[in-house]
Amino acid sequence: MSEILTKTNNNSREFVRVQNLVKYYPVLGGVFRHEIAQVKAVDDVSFSITKGETLGLVGESGCGKTTVGHTMLRLLPHTSGSVTFEGVDIFSLKGTELKNMRRNMQIVFQDPYASLDPRLPIGESIAEGLKIHKVGNARERVDIVMENMHKVGLEDYHANRYPHEFSGGQRQRIGIARALALNPKFIVLDEPVSALDVSIQAQVLNILRNLQKELGLTYLFVAHNLAVIEHISDRVAVMYLGKIAEMAPRDELFSNPLHPYTQALMSAIPIPKPTHRRERIILKGDVPSPLNPPAGCRFHPRCPIAQERCAIEEPALRELRPGHKVACHFAKQS
């Protein structure tokens, strides 16, 4: 099995594949705390990522995008569905096999401070994974830590400092260095720049892009900021209330969004020219609760083009243009 885990499947362009992924959270109630409902955080999500690609996963807060990333890496147990990495089913692995797989799949968390142990110097935090996986001796681990710190723009003397001594941008660089320590192939970036100032966001994004080119990394980039997604992604998947509404190559999606929800999101992006204005699409109502999502198309209560069919029949994610898929009964090519 260890040979299978490290062998790239050259017969398929799919490096990571998510198939019909479902993650429900039980809601407990009553005297005996039995299950009375389910929060449908992720409900039948499918996509694939090719080697060396960045797939941007975007949507409003609470749409399930972070849950997708955490479930893929088995930080959360899945309800149903499958995730394969280089042809290996992640959810079927146990024990040593799962531990070996985790070396290839890492994560950078949204809050760089909460993800670091405040009692440990950052050099030790970066080296934790190396110790767990028994990589090298003490001297070799120090060399690996320093090498990865240099890759993200940190100096050797930073290794002995504690997390509270760094700025937010520096702490996120530490988080990236820690993710790189085990030499992974795939990294989930869970809103890695959302807590940073705009100027620092650009620096961190450039670091991520340079590392991807240098190391051949594959990213799932989770964010709610469309400008960030446009800057770093090769393809973009738009989520709404636990489902994918639209998925397309970046330039295609931003120039020709087909789903009404995507069009509304795009209309909110500021144009950096005072003389240019974009027609704003204001959605009515609020996002429904994932405890009781609407029947049919989940977007139909807020959709400006909804018809009777939308409240009854759930739309399939269908391909309207090459590589451009949309889950809408009435979306048309433009």
PDB file of all heavy atoms in Angstrom, residues 13-51:
ATOM      1  N   ARG A  13      -5.880  12.620 -15.341  1.00  0.00           N
ATOM      2  CA  ARG A  13      -5.467  13.983 -15.035  1.00  0.00           C
ATOM      3  C   ARG A  13      -5.981  14.401 -13.675  1.00  0.00           C
ATOM      4  O   ARG A  13      -5.583  15.418 -13.147  1.00  0.00           O
ATOM      5  CB  ARG A  13      -5.978  14.934 -16.117  1.00  0.00           C
ATOM      6  CG  ARG A  13      -5.363  14.696 -17.484  1.00  0.00           C
ATOM      7  CD  ARG A  13      -5.858  15.706 -18.511  1.00  0.00           C
ATOM      8  NE  ARG A  13      -5.425  17.049 -18.165  1.00  0.00           N
ATOM      9  CZ  ARG A  13      -6.237  18.023 -17.772  1.00  0.00           C
ATOM     10  NH1 ARG A  13      -7.537  17.801 -17.629  1.00  0.00           N
ATOM     11  NH2 ARG A  13      -5.777  19.228 -17.489  1.00  0.00           N
ATOM     12  N   GLU A  14      -6.887  13.630 -13.092  1.00  0.00           N
ATOM     13  CA  GLU A  14      -7.464  13.974 -11.802  1.00  0.00           C
ATOM     14  C   GLU A  14      -6.480  13.643 -10.691  1.00  0.00           C
ATOM     15  O   GLU A  14      -6.144  12.491 -10.460  1.00  0.00           O
ATOM     16  CB  GLU A  14      -8.769  13.213 -11.587  1.00  0.00           C
ATOM     17  CG  GLU A  14      -9.880  13.640 -12.529  1.00  0.00           C
ATOM     18  CD  GLU A  14     -11.152  12.853 -12.307  1.00  0.00           C
ATOM     19  OE1 GLU A  14     -11.098  11.845 -11.581  1.00  0.00           O
ATOM     20  OE2 GLU A  14     -12.190  13.249 -12.868  1.00  0.00           O
ATOM     21  N   PHE A  15      -6.004  14.669 -10.013  1.00  0.00           N
ATOM     22  CA  PHE A  15      -5.066  14.491  -8.906  1.00  0.00           C
ATOM     23  C   PHE A  15      -5.839  14.258  -7.612  1.00  0.00           C
ATOM     24  O   PHE A  15      -5.535  13.357  -6.835  1.00  0.00           O
ATOM     25  CB  PHE A  15      -4.203  15.740  -8.817  1.00  0.00           C
ATOM     26  CG  PHE A  15      -3.014  15.605  -7.905  1.00  0.00           C
ATOM     27  CD1 PHE A  15      -2.023  14.681  -8.164  1.00  0.00           C
ATOM     28  CD2 PHE A  15      -2.887  16.434  -6.802  1.00  0.00           C
ATOM     29  CE1 PHE A  15      -0.927  14.567  -7.338  1.00  0.00           C
ATOM     30  CE2 PHE A  15      -1.793  16.329  -5.973  1.00  0.00           C
ATOM     31  CZ  PHE A  15      -0.811  15.398  -6.238  1.00  0.00           C
ATOM     32  N   VAL A  16      -6.855  15.085  -7.402  1.00  0.00           N
ATOM     33  CA  VAL A  16      -7.771  14.937  -6.269  1.00  0.00           C
ATOM     34  C   VAL A  16      -9.185  14.909  -6.838  1.00  0.00           C
ATOM     35  O   VAL A  16      -9.534  15.732  -7.697  1.00  0.00           O
ATOM     36  CB  VAL A  16      -7.629  16.102  -5.274  1.00  0.00           C
ATOM     37  CG1 VAL A  16      -8.615  15.953  -4.126  1.00  0.00           C
ATOM     38  CG2 VAL A  16      -6.211  16.204  -4.742  1.00  0.00           C
ATOM     39  N   ARG A  17      -9.987  13.967  -6.368  1.00  0.00           N
ATOM     40  CA  ARG A  17     -11.384  13.897  -6.821  1.00  0.00           C
ATOM     41  C   ARG A  17     -12.316  13.775  -5.628  1.00  0.00           C
ATOM     42  O   ARG A  17     -12.143  12.899  -4.775  1.00  0.00           O
ATOM     43  CB  ARG A  17     -11.609  12.724  -7.765  1.00  0.00           C
ATOM     44  CG  ARG A  17     -13.062  12.625  -8.223  1.00  0.00           C
ATOM     45  CD  ARG A  17     -13.242  11.787  -9.462  1.00  0.00           C
ATOM     46  NE  ARG A  17     -14.626  11.790  -9.924  1.00  0.00           N
ATOM     47  CZ  ARG A  17     -15.195  12.763 -10.624  1.00  0.00           C
ATOM     48  NH1 ARG A  17     -14.471  13.830 -10.939  1.00  0.00           N
ATOM     49  NH2 ARG A  17     -16.456  12.705 -11.008  1.00  0.00           N
ATOM     50  N   VAL A  18     -13.296  14.654  -5.582  1.00  0.00           N
ATOM     51  CA  VAL A  18     -14.354  14.625  -4.570  1.00  0.00           C
ATOM     52  C   VAL A  18     -15.633  14.182  -5.271  1.00  0.00           C
ATOM     53  O   VAL A  18     -16.038  14.798  -6.266  1.00  0.00           O
ATOM     54  CB  VAL A  18     -14.542  16.016  -3.931  1.00  0.00           C
ATOM     55  CG1 VAL A  18     -15.693  16.009  -2.946  1.00  0.00           C
ATOM     56  CG2 VAL A  18     -13.252  16.462  -3.248  1.00  0.00           C
ATOM     57  N   GLN A  19     -16.247  13.115  -4.779  1.00  0.00           N
ATOM     58  CA  GLN A  19     -17.409  12.544  -5.445  1.00  0.00           C
ATOM     59  C   GLN A  19     -18.584  12.423  -4.470  1.00  0.00           C
ATOM     60  O   GLN A  19     -18.493  11.696  -3.480  1.00  0.00           O
ATOM     61  CB  GLN A  19     -17.082  11.161  -6.016  1.00  0.00           C
ATOM     62  CG  GLN A  19     -18.156  10.565  -6.900  1.00  0.00           C
ATOM     63  CD  GLN A  19     -18.291  11.288  -8.237  1.00  0.00           C
ATOM     64  OE1 GLN A  19     -17.301  11.764  -8.794  1.00  0.00           O
ATOM     65  NE2 GLN A  19     -19.510  11.387  -8.732  1.00  0.00           N
ATOM     66  N   ASN A  20     -19.651  13.177  -4.736  1.00  0.00           N
ATOM     67  CA  ASN A  20     -20.896  13.105  -3.945  1.00  0.00           C
ATOM     68  C   ASN A  20     -20.632  13.246  -2.447  1.00  0.00           C
ATOM     69  O   ASN A  20     -21.198  12.517  -1.630  1.00  0.00           O
ATOM     70  CB  ASN A  20     -21.621  11.786  -4.219  1.00  0.00           C
ATOM     71  CG  ASN A  20     -21.899  11.558  -5.692  1.00  0.00           C
ATOM     72  OD1 ASN A  20     -21.406  10.601  -6.272  1.00  0.00           O
ATOM     73  ND2 ASN A  20     -22.668  12.438  -6.304  1.00  0.00           N
ATOM     74  N   LEU A  21     -19.803  14.207  -2.075  1.00  0.00           N
ATOM     75  CA  LEU A  21     -19.438  14.404  -0.669  1.00  0.00           C
ATOM     76  C   LEU A  21     -20.614  14.997   0.110  1.00  0.00           C
ATOM     77  O   LEU A  21     -21.224  15.988  -0.301  1.00  0.00           O
ATOM     78  CB  LEU A  21     -18.229  15.332  -0.560  1.00  0.00           C
ATOM     79  CG  LEU A  21     -17.682  15.568   0.854  1.00  0.00           C
ATOM     80  CD1 LEU A  21     -17.153  14.264   1.450  1.00  0.00           C
ATOM     81  CD2 LEU A  21     -16.574  16.627   0.839  1.00  0.00           C
ATOM     82  N   VAL A  22     -20.909  14.367   1.236  1.00  0.00           N
ATOM     83  CA  VAL A  22     -21.994  14.817   2.110  1.00  0.00           C
ATOM     84  C   VAL A  22     -21.463  14.902   3.539  1.00  0.00           C
ATOM     85  O   VAL A  22     -20.787  13.991   4.017  1.00  0.00           O
ATOM     86  CB  VAL A  22     -23.193  13.837   2.065  1.00  0.00           C
ATOM     87  CG1 VAL A  22     -24.253  14.228   3.092  1.00  0.00           C
ATOM     88  CG2 VAL A  22     -23.797  13.794   0.669  1.00  0.00           C
ATOM     89  N   LYS A  23     -21.783  16.011   4.214  1.00  0.00           N
ATOM     90  CA  LYS A  23     -21.445  16.170   5.623  1.00  0.00           C
ATOM     91  C   LYS A  23     -22.634  16.809   6.334  1.00  0.00           C
ATOM     92  O   LYS A  23     -22.964  17.982   6.119  1.00  0.00           O
ATOM     93  CB  LYS A  23     -20.196  17.038   5.799  1.00  0.00           C
ATOM     94  CG  LYS A  23     -19.896  17.397   7.258  1.00  0.00           C
ATOM     95  CD  LYS A  23     -19.698  16.173   8.123  1.00  0.00           C
ATOM     96  CE  LYS A  23     -19.437  16.569   9.582  1.00  0.00           C
ATOM     97  NZ  LYS A  23     -19.360  15.381  10.454  1.00  0.00           N
ATOM     98  N   TYR A  24     -23.310  16.003   7.171  1.00  0.00           N
ATOM     99  CA  TYR A  24     -24.421  16.492   7.980  1.00  0.00           C
ATOM    100  C   TYR A  24     -23.991  16.508   9.447  1.00  0.00           C
ATOM    101  O   TYR A  24     -23.297  15.598   9.903  1.00  0.00           O
ATOM    102  CB  TYR A  24     -25.651  15.584   7.849  1.00  0.00           C
ATOM    103  CG  TYR A  24     -26.321  15.583   6.497  1.00  0.00           C
ATOM    104  CD1 TYR A  24     -27.280  14.640   6.186  1.00  0.00           C
ATOM    105  CD2 TYR A  24     -26.010  16.535   5.537  1.00  0.00           C
ATOM    106  CE1 TYR A  24     -27.921  14.624   4.957  1.00  0.00           C
ATOM    107  CE2 TYR A  24     -26.631  16.523   4.300  1.00  0.00           C
ATOM    108  CZ  TYR A  24     -27.585  15.567   4.012  1.00  0.00           C
ATOM    109  OH  TYR A  24     -28.201  15.559   2.785  1.00  0.00           O
ATOM    110  N   TYR A  25     -24.439  17.533  10.173  1.00  0.00           N
ATOM    111  CA  TYR A  25     -24.219  17.607  11.607  1.00  0.00           C
ATOM    112  C   TYR A  25     -25.539  17.287  12.328  1.00  0.00           C
ATOM    113  O   TYR A  25     -26.562  17.913  12.030  1.00  0.00           O
ATOM    114  CB  TYR A  25     -23.757  19.000  12.028  1.00  0.00           C
ATOM    115  CG  TYR A  25     -22.389  19.385  11.543  1.00  0.00           C
ATOM    116  CD1 TYR A  25     -22.229  20.132  10.376  1.00  0.00           C
ATOM    117  CD2 TYR A  25     -21.244  19.017  12.247  1.00  0.00           C
ATOM    118  CE1 TYR A  25     -20.971  20.499   9.925  1.00  0.00           C
ATOM    119  CE2 TYR A  25     -19.985  19.387  11.807  1.00  0.00           C
ATOM    120  CZ  TYR A  25     -19.856  20.129  10.643  1.00  0.00           C
ATOM    121  OH  TYR A  25     -18.609  20.477  10.201  1.00  0.00           O
ATOM    122  N   PRO A  26     -25.526  16.350  13.250  1.00  0.00           N
ATOM    123  CA  PRO A  26     -26.767  16.045  13.968  1.00  0.00           C
ATOM    124  C   PRO A  26     -27.123  17.150  14.957  1.00  0.00           C
ATOM    125  O   PRO A  26     -26.248  17.754  15.580  1.00  0.00           O
ATOM    126  CB  PRO A  26     -26.434  14.739  14.699  1.00  0.00           C
ATOM    127  CG  PRO A  26     -24.944  14.769  14.876  1.00  0.00           C
ATOM    128  CD  PRO A  26     -24.401  15.493  13.663  1.00  0.00           C
ATOM    129  N   VAL A  27     -28.408  17.416  15.088  1.00  0.00           N
ATOM    130  CA  VAL A  27     -28.928  18.344  16.092  1.00  0.00           C
ATOM    131  C   VAL A  27     -29.632  17.504  17.147  1.00  0.00           C
ATOM    132  O   VAL A  27     -30.585  16.783  16.846  1.00  0.00           O
ATOM    133  CB  VAL A  27     -29.903  19.355  15.462  1.00  0.00           C
ATOM    134  CG1 VAL A  27     -30.470  20.279  16.543  1.00  0.00           C
ATOM    135  CG2 VAL A  27     -29.207  20.167  14.388  1.00  0.00           C
ATOM    136  N   LEU A  28     -29.146  17.583  18.394  1.00  0.00           N
ATOM    137  CA  LEU A  28     -29.669  16.750  19.475  1.00  0.00           C
ATOM    138  C   LEU A  28     -30.648  17.534  20.338  1.00  0.00           C
ATOM    139  O   LEU A  28     -30.480  18.737  20.559  1.00  0.00           O
ATOM    140  CB  LEU A  28     -28.516  16.228  20.335  1.00  0.00           C
ATOM    141  CG  LEU A  28     -27.405  15.469  19.599  1.00  0.00           C
ATOM    142  CD1 LEU A  28     -26.328  15.016  20.568  1.00  0.00           C
ATOM    143  CD2 LEU A  28     -27.966  14.288  18.830  1.00  0.00           C
ATOM    144  N   GLY A  29     -31.670  16.853  20.810  1.00  0.00           N
ATOM    145  CA  GLY A  29     -32.654  17.510  21.667  1.00  0.00           C
ATOM    146  C   GLY A  29     -33.431  16.506  22.488  1.00  0.00           C
ATOM    147  O   GLY A  29     -33.241  15.290  22.363  1.00  0.00           O
ATOM    148  N   GLY A  30     -34.299  17.011  23.323  1.00  0.00           N
ATOM    149  CA  GLY A  30     -35.084  16.137  24.176  1.00  0.00           C
ATOM    150  C   GLY A  30     -34.328  15.714  25.424  1.00  0.00           C
ATOM    151  O   GLY A  30     -33.133  15.984  25.594  1.00  0.00           O
ATOM    152  N   VAL A  31     -35.028  15.026  26.306  1.00  0.00           N
ATOM    153  CA  VAL A  31     -34.437  14.587  27.572  1.00  0.00           C
ATOM    154  C   VAL A  31     -33.262  13.634  27.346  1.00  0.00           C
ATOM    155  O   VAL A  31     -32.242  13.693  28.033  1.00  0.00           O
ATOM    156  CB  VAL A  31     -35.514  13.906  28.446  1.00  0.00           C
ATOM    157  CG1 VAL A  31     -34.895  13.368  29.739  1.00  0.00           C
ATOM    158  CG2 VAL A  31     -36.643  14.878  28.763  1.00  0.00           C
ATOM    159  N   PHE A  32     -33.382  12.760  26.350  1.00  0.00           N
ATOM    160  CA  PHE A  32     -32.353  11.751  26.117  1.00  0.00           C
ATOM    161  C   PHE A  32     -31.361  12.163  25.025  1.00  0.00           C
ATOM    162  O   PHE A  32     -30.560  11.348  24.579  1.00  0.00           O
ATOM    163  CB  PHE A  32     -33.016  10.415  25.743  1.00  0.00           C
ATOM    164  CG  PHE A  32     -33.895   9.867  26.827  1.00  0.00           C
ATOM    165  CD1 PHE A  32     -35.277   9.962  26.729  1.00  0.00           C
ATOM    166  CD2 PHE A  32     -33.335   9.295  27.958  1.00  0.00           C
ATOM    167  CE1 PHE A  32     -36.098   9.464  27.729  1.00  0.00           C
ATOM    168  CE2 PHE A  32     -34.141   8.798  28.969  1.00  0.00           C
ATOM    169  CZ  PHE A  32     -35.528   8.880  28.853  1.00  0.00           C
ATOM    170  N   ARG A  33     -31.417  13.426  24.631  1.00  0.00           N
ATOM    171  CA  ARG A  33     -30.462  13.980  23.666  1.00  0.00           C
ATOM    172  C   ARG A  33     -30.376  13.118  22.413  1.00  0.00           C
ATOM    173  O   ARG A  33     -29.309  12.718  21.970  1.00  0.00           O
ATOM    174  CB  ARG A  33     -29.074  14.106  24.303  1.00  0.00           C
ATOM    175  CG  ARG A  33     -29.026  14.921  25.582  1.00  0.00           C
ATOM    176  CD  ARG A  33     -29.359  16.377  25.321  1.00  0.00           C
ATOM    177  NE  ARG A  33     -28.340  17.024  24.484  1.00  0.00           N
ATOM    178  CZ  ARG A  33     -28.495  18.211  23.906  1.00  0.00           C
ATOM    179  NH1 ARG A  33     -29.653  18.846  24.018  1.00  0.00           N
ATOM    180  NH2 ARG A  33     -27.544  18.738  23.189  1.00  0.00           N
ATOM    181  N   HIS A  34     -31.518  12.812  21.825  1.00  0.00           N
ATOM    182  CA  HIS A  34     -31.523  12.059  20.576  1.00  0.00           C
ATOM    183  C   HIS A  34     -31.555  13.031  19.398  1.00  0.00           C
ATOM    184  O   HIS A  34     -31.857  14.217  19.550  1.00  0.00           O
ATOM    185  CB  HIS A  34     -32.717  11.105  20.522  1.00  0.00           C
ATOM    186  CG  HIS A  34     -34.037  11.804  20.606  1.00  0.00           C
ATOM    187  ND1 HIS A  34     -34.599  12.211  21.784  1.00  0.00           N
ATOM    188  CD2 HIS A  34     -34.903  12.185  19.622  1.00  0.00           C
ATOM    189  CE1 HIS A  34     -35.751  12.808  21.550  1.00  0.00           C
ATOM    190  NE2 HIS A  34     -35.967  12.813  20.247  1.00  0.00           N
ATOM    191  N   GLU A  35     -31.254  12.521  18.219  1.00  0.00           N
ATOM    192  CA  GLU A  35     -31.183  13.368  17.033  1.00  0.00           C
ATOM    193  C   GLU A  35     -32.581  13.797  16.601  1.00  0.00           C
ATOM    194  O   GLU A  35     -33.454  12.971  16.365  1.00  0.00           O
ATOM    195  CB  GLU A  35     -30.491  12.610  15.896  1.00  0.00           C
ATOM    196  CG  GLU A  35     -30.294  13.450  14.637  1.00  0.00           C
ATOM    197  CD  GLU A  35     -29.524  12.714  13.557  1.00  0.00           C
ATOM    198  OE1 GLU A  35     -28.468  12.118  13.876  1.00  0.00           O
ATOM    199  OE2 GLU A  35     -29.990  12.719  12.405  1.00  0.00           O
ATOM    200  N   ILE A  36     -32.782  15.100  16.479  1.00  0.00           N
ATOM    201  CA  ILE A  36     -34.084  15.622  16.070  1.00  0.00           C
ATOM    202  C   ILE A  36     -34.026  16.305  14.701  1.00  0.00           C
ATOM    203  O   ILE A  36     -35.058  16.580  14.098  1.00  0.00           O
ATOM    204  CB  ILE A  36     -34.632  16.620  17.113  1.00  0.00           C
ATOM    205  CG1 ILE A  36     -33.658  17.797  17.307  1.00  0.00           C
ATOM    206  CG2 ILE A  36     -34.909  15.919  18.431  1.00  0.00           C
ATOM    207  CD1 ILE A  36     -34.200  18.889  18.211  1.00  0.00           C
ATOM    208  N   ALA A  37     -32.832  16.598  14.216  1.00  0.00           N
ATOM    209  CA  ALA A  37     -32.688  17.246  12.905  1.00  0.00           C
ATOM    210  C   ALA A  37     -31.233  17.124  12.468  1.00  0.00           C
ATOM    211  O   ALA A  37     -30.390  16.608  13.214  1.00  0.00           O
ATOM    212  CB  ALA A  37     -33.110  18.712  12.970  1.00  0.00           C
ATOM    213  N   GLN A  38     -30.958  17.586  11.259  1.00  0.00           N
ATOM    214  CA  GLN A  38     -29.603  17.571  10.725  1.00  0.00           C
ATOM    215  C   GLN A  38     -29.297  18.896  10.037  1.00  0.00           C
ATOM    216  O   GLN A  38     -30.134  19.433   9.317  1.00  0.00           O
ATOM    217  CB  GLN A  38     -29.419  16.431   9.719  1.00  0.00           C
ATOM    218  CG  GLN A  38     -29.452  15.039  10.324  1.00  0.00           C
ATOM    219  CD  GLN A  38     -29.291  13.967   9.262  1.00  0.00           C
ATOM    220  OE1 GLN A  38     -29.843  14.077   8.163  1.00  0.00           O
ATOM    221  NE2 GLN A  38     -28.534  12.928   9.572  1.00  0.00           N
ATOM    222  N   VAL A  39     -28.087  19.398  10.293  1.00  0.00           N
ATOM    223  CA  VAL A  39     -27.594  20.571   9.566  1.00  0.00           C
ATOM    224  C   VAL A  39     -26.891  20.060   8.314  1.00  0.00           C
ATOM    225  O   VAL A  39     -25.871  19.374   8.399  1.00  0.00           O
ATOM    226  CB  VAL A  39     -26.618  21.398  10.424  1.00  0.00           C
ATOM    227  CG1 VAL A  39     -26.054  22.561   9.607  1.00  0.00           C
ATOM    228  CG2 VAL A  39     -27.303  21.913  11.670  1.00  0.00           C
ATOM    229  N   LYS A  40     -27.433  20.399   7.155  1.00  0.00           N
ATOM    230  CA  LYS A  40     -26.888  19.896   5.886  1.00  0.00           C
ATOM    231  C   LYS A  40     -25.814  20.864   5.390  1.00  0.00           C
ATOM    232  O   LYS A  40     -26.032  21.665   4.482  1.00  0.00           O
ATOM    233  CB  LYS A  40     -28.010  19.723   4.877  1.00  0.00           C
ATOM    234  CG  LYS A  40     -29.051  18.701   5.345  1.00  0.00           C
ATOM    235  CD  LYS A  40     -30.186  18.544   4.358  1.00  0.00           C
ATOM    236  CE  LYS A  40     -31.190  17.498   4.857  1.00  0.00           C
ATOM    237  NZ  LYS A  40     -32.314  17.306   3.919  1.00  0.00           N
ATOM    238  N   ALA A  41     -24.626  20.744   6.014  1.00  0.00           N
ATOM    239  CA  ALA A  41     -23.545  21.678   5.719  1.00  0.00           C
ATOM    240  C   ALA A  41     -22.990  21.486   4.321  1.00  0.00           C
ATOM    241  O   ALA A  41     -22.721  22.459   3.601  1.00  0.00           O
ATOM    242  CB  ALA A  41     -22.428  21.514   6.754  1.00  0.00           C
ATOM    243  N   VAL A  42     -22.781  20.240   3.920  1.00  0.00           N
ATOM    244  CA  VAL A  42     -22.313  19.899   2.575  1.00  0.00           C
ATOM    245  C   VAL A  42     -23.226  18.799   2.058  1.00  0.00           C
ATOM    246  O   VAL A  42     -23.379  17.768   2.709  1.00  0.00           O
ATOM    247  CB  VAL A  42     -20.846  19.424   2.586  1.00  0.00           C
ATOM    248  CG1 VAL A  42     -20.390  19.015   1.199  1.00  0.00           C
ATOM    249  CG2 VAL A  42     -19.931  20.505   3.154  1.00  0.00           C
ATOM    250  N   ASP A  43     -23.826  19.025   0.894  1.00  0.00           N
ATOM    251  CA  ASP A  43     -24.864  18.111   0.424  1.00  0.00           C
ATOM    252  C   ASP A  43     -24.635  17.743  -1.044  1.00  0.00           C
ATOM    253  O   ASP A  43     -25.060  18.455  -1.947  1.00  0.00           O
ATOM    254  CB  ASP A  43     -26.240  18.769   0.601  1.00  0.00           C
ATOM    255  CG  ASP A  43     -27.375  17.764   0.585  1.00  0.00           C
ATOM    256  OD1 ASP A  43     -27.107  16.561   0.479  1.00  0.00           O
ATOM    257  OD2 ASP A  43     -28.541  18.196   0.694  1.00  0.00           O
ATOM    258  N   ASP A  44     -23.906  16.645  -1.254  1.00  0.00           N
ATOM    259  CA  ASP A  44     -23.687  16.099  -2.593  1.00  0.00           C
ATOM    260  C   ASP A  44     -22.827  17.030  -3.451  1.00  0.00           C
ATOM    261  O   ASP A  44     -23.258  17.533  -4.492  1.00  0.00           O
ATOM    262  CB  ASP A  44     -25.021  15.819  -3.298  1.00  0.00           C
ATOM    263  CG  ASP A  44     -24.849  14.913  -4.514  1.00  0.00           C
ATOM    264  OD1 ASP A  44     -23.811  14.247  -4.611  1.00  0.00           O
ATOM    265  OD2 ASP A  44     -25.751  14.889  -5.360  1.00  0.00           O
ATOM    266  N   VAL A  45     -21.584  17.226  -3.014  1.00  0.00           N
ATOM    267  CA  VAL A  45     -20.629  18.072  -3.732  1.00  0.00           C
ATOM    268  C   VAL A  45     -19.629  17.193  -4.476  1.00  0.00           C
ATOM    269  O   VAL A  45     -19.068  16.257  -3.896  1.00  0.00           O
ATOM    270  CB  VAL A  45     -19.893  19.013  -2.752  1.00  0.00           C
ATOM    271  CG1 VAL A  45     -18.663  19.634  -3.402  1.00  0.00           C
ATOM    272  CG2 VAL A  45     -20.838  20.092  -2.256  1.00  0.00           C
ATOM    273  N   SER A  46     -19.399  17.509  -5.747  1.00  0.00           N
ATOM    274  CA  SER A  46     -18.437  16.760  -6.561  1.00  0.00           C
ATOM    275  C   SER A  46     -17.574  17.731  -7.363  1.00  0.00           C
ATOM    276  O   SER A  46     -18.090  18.703  -7.925  1.00  0.00           O
ATOM    277  CB  SER A  46     -19.153  15.817  -7.532  1.00  0.00           C
ATOM    278  OG  SER A  46     -19.929  14.855  -6.858  1.00  0.00           O
ATOM    279  N   PHE A  47     -16.283  17.472  -7.416  1.00  0.00           N
ATOM    280  CA  PHE A  47     -15.357  18.224  -8.266  1.00  0.00           C
ATOM    281  C   PHE A  47     -14.031  17.479  -8.308  1.00  0.00           C
ATOM    282  O   PHE A  47     -13.797  16.554  -7.530  1.00  0.00           O
ATOM    283  CB  PHE A  47     -15.145  19.661  -7.761  1.00  0.00           C
ATOM    284  CG  PHE A  47     -14.608  19.773  -6.366  1.00  0.00           C
ATOM    285  CD1 PHE A  47     -13.248  19.651  -6.096  1.00  0.00           C
ATOM    286  CD2 PHE A  47     -15.465  20.016  -5.299  1.00  0.00           C
ATOM    287  CE1 PHE A  47     -12.748  19.766  -4.803  1.00  0.00           C
ATOM    288  CE2 PHE A  47     -14.989  20.132  -4.005  1.00  0.00           C
ATOM    289  CZ  PHE A  47     -13.619  19.999  -3.762  1.00  0.00           C
ATOM    290  N   SER A  48     -13.168  17.877  -9.218  1.00  0.00           N
ATOM    291  CA  SER A  48     -11.834  17.297  -9.295  1.00  0.00           C
ATOM    292  C   SER A  48     -10.814  18.419  -9.448  1.00  0.00           C
ATOM    293  O   SER A  48     -11.145  19.532  -9.889  1.00  0.00           O
ATOM    294  CB  SER A  48     -11.724  16.313 -10.466  1.00  0.00           C
ATOM    295  OG  SER A  48     -11.965  16.973 -11.692  1.00  0.00           O
ATOM    296  N   ILE A  49      -9.587  18.136  -9.055  1.00  0.00           N
ATOM    297  CA  ILE A  49      -8.490  19.099  -9.171  1.00  0.00           C
ATOM    298  C   ILE A  49      -7.332  18.394  -9.864  1.00  0.00           C
ATOM    299  O   ILE A  49      -6.964  17.276  -9.482  1.00  0.00           O
ATOM    300  CB  ILE A  49      -8.036  19.617  -7.789  1.00  0.00           C
ATOM    301  CG1 ILE A  49      -9.228  20.073  -6.946  1.00  0.00           C
ATOM    302  CG2 ILE A  49      -7.049  20.766  -7.943  1.00  0.00           C
ATOM    303  CD1 ILE A  49      -8.861  20.463  -5.515  1.00  0.00           C
ATOM    304  N   THR A  50      -6.766  19.011 -10.881  1.00  0.00           N
ATOM    305  CA  THR A  50      -5.641  18.420 -11.587  1.00  0.00           C
ATOM    306  C   THR A  50      -4.332  18.827 -10.921  1.00  0.00           C
ATOM    307  O   THR A  50      -4.263  19.807 -10.177  1.00  0.00           O
ATOM    308  CB  THR A  50      -5.624  18.837 -13.065  1.00  0.00           C
ATOM    309  OG1 THR A  50      -5.546  20.267 -13.147  1.00  0.00           O
ATOM    310  CG2 THR A  50      -6.879  18.376 -13.769  1.00  0.00           C
ATOM    311  N   LYS A  51      -3.297  18.087 -11.200  1.00  0.00           N
ATOM    312  CA  LYS A  51      -1.992  18.328 -10.575  1.00  0.00           C
ATOM    313  C   LYS A  51      -1.459  19.708 -10.951  1.00  0.00           C
ATOM    314  O   LYS A  51      -1.464  20.107 -12.115  1.00  0.00           O
ATOM    315  CB  LYS A  51      -0.995  17.253 -11.005  1.00  0.00           C
ATOM    316  CG  LYS A  51       0.341  17.334 -10.285  1.00  0.00           C
ATOM    317  CD  LYS A  51       1.209  16.148 -10.617  1.00  0.00           C
ATOM    318  CE  LYS A  51       2.590  16.241  -9.955  1.00  0.00           C
ATOM    319  NZ  LYS A  51       2.487  16.297  -8.488  1.00  0.00           N
TER     320      LYS A  51
END
